[in-house]
Amino acid sequence: MRAALNPYKLVAEQHLHESGSADMRMIPIAAAVWLGAFCGQAELNHTLRYIVAIPLATVVLCLPALLLGACYHQNCSRIVVSRKMCRLLIWCRRSAPTVVVMLAACAASTGASVAWSTVQRSDPAYQLAAARNSTNSTIIRVLSPITVSALRSSTCRADVRVMSVQQHHQGAIAMPSRLRARIVGDDEVCEMRRGAEYRIVVQLSISEFDNGVQLEAVSPATRSSVSIVSEPHILWRVTNLVQQRFLAISSTLSEQGRVLVPGLTLGVLGQEAVAHTGQTFSTLDPAYAEMVKDQFKRSGIMHLMVVSGGHFLLLSSLIHTVLKGLLLHRAVIAGALVFGACMLTAVVYPSDSVWRATTMSVLGALAVLKGRRAQVLSQLSWTVVLLLLSNPHLSTSYGFALSCAAVLGIVTVGSAITSICERVIGSFAAGQLGIAVGAQMFTLPIQLLMDPEIPILSVPTNIVVAPAVNLATIFGLLALSTACFLPKLAYGCAWLSSIGTSLMYDCAKWLSDTEISTMTWLPGWQGVILMLLIELLCIAIVISLHHITTRRRCLRDQAGNHEGIAYRRSVRSSVLFWIRESIEMFEW
């Protein structure tokens, strides 16, 4: 007679062998929060409503079955059940709480998103912008550095927060506001500084690109139309000074260095940065700067010109290694990691990917404080949950989606590819291959929504430029940190960084000129779904081949053939052996 299988004993045994670094239990919760925030943000049409309602209805219908399976624990340990039935009960027991939490998280996220949208649309500045009122006197606080505007009707732009708005006529009352907006204009707008508050006469409107509020300074801008209300805080004054000094030093480099070194270090291309005098730092040819930008896009390495987790990882590794070598308490190390992440966030140009990297760095510092290893998947999931609940607008941001998808692909697919290929091509090359392939697989469907073109040579390009990227980033950050105190040393570091960016420029220039650099794809959701199916098919083929080879090996061992696996020297060991033998051969 078969012994009874207790499913809950099997669950306990599985938890004992579960790896914390591979814990994916928070990923469905983060996905549910993202879905709820997106549903609350977007004005969904009828088709999209049905698309969103289908998975929600499926979850609701499956919930009673999962709860019944989870409640079947009273007599389960007393009867004899099959192994398949045990696995089904285990799955029901483990899935029911997850589904309940997913529904609660989705509902909370949807409520927060709807409340956030309601508050934004009831703001006086938004209502005046929707009514397209003529001119209004506003008090704004500048939240980002000034950059070159992409609109032909204006020169500069910046992200601001509207503090108050007043219609431009006698007897009008100033109404308080807390709305985030974007201001565009000429002259006086270009001379604004981050962190300062200004009173300016603008025209409010709704942007046609992102449905956000846009402030357009009255033309022509005069001294009387702009007046400063309060100076920037000391932190923003220091930050502005560091950025201006670094950009001034970068403007003395070669042409490609003037464009790429600020992009790699600060997240803004050299031709897009604006000085406090209202002029651009570098006198670059606009056609050349646009050509460099297009070449990086076609070769698939444009993401290197955006500050992401790589900068924070380098800084955190340096701080952790130095302070751990000094045998300091982990509370001091965690505090230094948080301080370093906050300072880097303040210095670089703000973006959605920067906020994602900052939040993950702070969560990693909390892991150091508790004396535990960092769990990237859990950090990413909690980052998505916290940021989307605090700012649901990020659910519609391409930059935030690309950043999260890249991290998820690197941790899941990239680590698996690295472990498979490291015996053949070496650990460093396998690591770069895993990072490039993992990030490309998860970000490609999102990229197709933005531009229906596939950068075919993106993976080999990222592998080739990977060593130069790390060195160029390190020297760029060193130049940024010494720009105010040691300008000559900062110039030397910036020049060394430009050597690394020259390799990226040469690779992008050579690969983008080939006919196979990009391939046109189906636009819209059809292309995204087709690409997802192709990627799933490739993953299924790889998994099937892995199972086939593993089964053949097991069958060979069961047949009594215990000859083992033939030794195969890796490429790295072969090259090192060849170099050593060559040196010994030419010795006298």
Side-chain angles (χ1 to χ4, degrees):
M1 184 177 178
R2 292 186 305 171
L5 295 176
N6 190 344
Y8 307 107
K9 184 177 179 181
L10 297 178
V11 171
E13 293 177 356
Q14 290 181 3
H15 279 295
L16 290 176
H17 302 284
E18 188 173 2
S19 175
S21 60
D23 188 3
M24 298 186 179
R25 289 175 294 178
M26 276 299 298
I27 292 181
I29 311 301
V33 171
W34 201 315
L35 178 62
F38 179 78
C39 293
Q41 275 292 300
E43 294 180 356
L44 303 178
N45 54 31
H46 295 287
T47 303
L48 194 55
R49 283 177 182 173
Y50 289 126
I51 294 176
V52 174
I54 288 175
L56 292 179
T58 304
V59 171
V60 172
L61 292 176
C62 294
L63 183 60
L66 295 174
L67 293 176
L68 288 176
C71 295
Y72 189 61
H73 68 279
Q74 296 180 354
N75 299 321
C76 183
S77 59
R78 302 177 184 177
I79 61 176
V80 178
V81 295
S82 63
R83 184 173 294 273
K84 292 184 178 180
M85 189 63 183
C86 271
R87 291 179 179 177
L88 179 60
L89 294 175
I90 291 172
W91 183 84
C92 291
R93 177 180 173 83
R94 299 186 67 179
S95 301
T98 303
V99 174
V100 173
V101 175
M102 286 178 61
L103 291 175
C106 185
S109 178
T110 305
S113 182
V114 171
W116 190 86
S117 300
T118 304
V119 171
Q120 293 291 314
R121 296 189 179 186
S122 61
D123 192 277
Y126 187 90
Q127 293 179 357
L128 290 175
R132 292 187 176 273
N133 204 306
S134 56
T135 57
N136 301 272
S137 176
T138 60
I139 296 178
I140 60 173
R141 177 180 296 168
V142 183
L143 301 179
S144 69
I146 311 300
T147 56
V148 176
S149 175
L151 302 178
R152 296 181 179 179
S153 59
S154 59
T155 305
C156 302
R157 67 175 182 179
D159 294 332
V160 298
R161 184 181 298 279
V162 181
M163 307 304 296
S164 68
V165 59
Q166 180 181 4
Q167 297 184 10
H168 199 59
H169 60 78
Q170 294 183 353
I173 301 175
M175 296 174 288
S177 173
R178 299 293 297 175
L179 185 69
R180 288 180 63 99
R182 174 169 294 177
I183 186 171
V184 295
D186 304 318
D187 298 335
E188 297 296 329
V189 176
C190 297
E191 297 181 9
M192 291 181 177
R193 289 175 294 172
R194 185 182 184 184
E197 291 187 4
Y198 297 89
R199 183 186 299 274
I200 183 171
V201 178
V202 297
Q203 292 181 349
L204 284 81
S205 61
I206 302 297
S207 176
E208 299 178 355
F209 300 100
D210 56 358
N211 294 326
V213 175
Q214 179 174 292
L215 312 179
E216 185 175 356
V218 293
S219 182
T222 60
R223 292 284 178 180
S224 59
S225 63
V226 180
S227 61
I228 187 168
V229 177
S230 63
E231 293 288 342
H233 190 266
I234 182 63
L235 173 62
W236 297 123
R237 277 185 280 178
V238 173
T239 301
N240 295 334
L241 179 62
V242 171
Q243 291 176 348
Q244 296 290 310
R245 294 286 180 86
F246 174 77
L247 291 172
I249 292 173
S250 300
S251 63
T252 60
L253 300 173
S254 60
E255 286 187 335
Q256 60 84 22
R258 281 180 278 173
V259 176
L260 300 178
V261 171
L264 186 67
T265 307
L266 293 178
V268 59
L269 296 178
Q271 72 273 14
E272 298 177 357
V274 178
H276 285 165
T277 58
Q279 303 294 328
T280 57
F281 283 94
S282 57
T283 57
L284 286 169
D285 183 9
Y288 172 79
E290 191 65 26
M291 180 192 67
V292 173
K293 188 175 180 180
D294 183 69
Q295 288 174 349
F296 269 64
K297 286 183 179 180
R298 291 176 59 86
S299 57
I301 56 175
M302 189 60 194
H303 62 91
L304 300 177
M305 297 297 106
V306 178
V307 176
S308 60
H311 296 68
F312 290 84
L313 182 60
L314 289 174
L315 181 62
S316 300
S317 301
L318 176 62
I319 295 175
H320 189 270
T321 302
V322 173
L323 297 185
K324 189 177 181 180
L326 296 176
L327 301 179
L328 297 179
H329 193 269
R330 59 173 179 261
V332 179
I333 299 177
L337 291 175
V338 174
F339 178 78
C342 293
M343 288 296 100
L344 183 59
T345 304
V347 171
V348 300
Y349 278 53
S351 64
D352 297 336
S353 61
V354 170
W355 289 114
R356 193 273 312 162
T358 304
T359 308
M360 289 193 64
S361 300
V362 172
L363 294 178
L366 294 179
V368 173
L369 179 63
K370 299 296 292 184
R372 301 182 60 183
R373 291 185 178 181
Q375 299 180 7
V376 182
L377 290 178
S378 296
Q379 292 179 20
L380 177 62
S381 302
W382 279 106
T383 298
V384 170
V385 172
L386 295 176
L387 290 181
L388 290 182
L389 289 178
S390 60
N391 186 9
H393 182 67
L394 292 176
S395 61
T396 59
S397 171
Y398 282 112
F400 184 71
L402 288 171
S403 180
C404 295
V407 175
L408 183 61
I410 291 172
V411 176
T412 55
V413 178
S415 58
I417 294 176
T418 301
S419 61
I420 293 173
C421 300
E422 62 182 355
R423 292 189 59 186
V424 180
I425 60 177
S427 58
F428 178 78
Q432 299 303 325
L433 178 63
I435 292 174
V437 174
Q440 183 72 11
M441 284 184 61
F442 280 67
T443 58
L444 189 56
I446 304 175
Q447 294 177 15
L448 292 177
L449 289 175
M450 304 168 59
D451 188 10
E453 284 188 350
I454 300 177
I456 300 177
L457 302 178
S458 175
V459 173
T461 307
N462 280 277
I463 295 175
V464 171
V465 303
V469 170
N470 294 331
L471 293 177
T473 303
I474 292 173
F475 285 114
L477 293 177
L478 288 176
L480 179 64
S481 60
T482 58
C484 291
F485 309 102
L486 301 172
K488 293 184 178 180
L489 178 61
Y491 174 77
C493 295
W495 180 78
L496 292 174
S497 179
S498 67
I499 295 177
T501 57
S502 65
L503 175 60
M504 306 177 206
Y505 171 72
D506 293 336
C507 291
K509 180 181 179 181
W510 179 69
L511 293 175
S512 62
D513 293 337
T514 59
E515 297 180 356
I516 60 172
S517 60
T518 58
M519 182 178 64
T520 306
W521 198 253
L522 293 176
W525 288 99
Q526 296 86 351
V528 175
I529 294 174
L530 179 60
M531 178 54 63
L532 288 175
L533 293 176
I534 293 175
E535 290 184 350
L536 292 176
L537 180 61
C538 294
I539 294 175
I541 292 174
V542 172
I543 294 175
S544 301
L545 292 176
H546 176 70
H547 284 307
I548 290 173
T549 55
T550 304
R551 184 168 181 79
R552 285 184 177 179
R553 187 178 303 170
C554 293
L555 293 176
R556 183 183 58 188
D557 294 339
Q558 291 177 2
N561 186 8
H562 300 288
E563 297 178 359
I565 302 175
Y567 171 73
R568 180 189 299 175
R569 179 178 292 173
S570 64
V571 177
R572 178 184 178 186
S573 61
S574 299
V575 172
L576 293 177
F577 177 78
W578 178 81
I579 294 174
R580 184 171 62 253
E581 292 294 325
S582 300
I583 294 174
E584 293 178 357
M585 181 178 64
F586 287 102
E587 287 182 352
W588 296 95

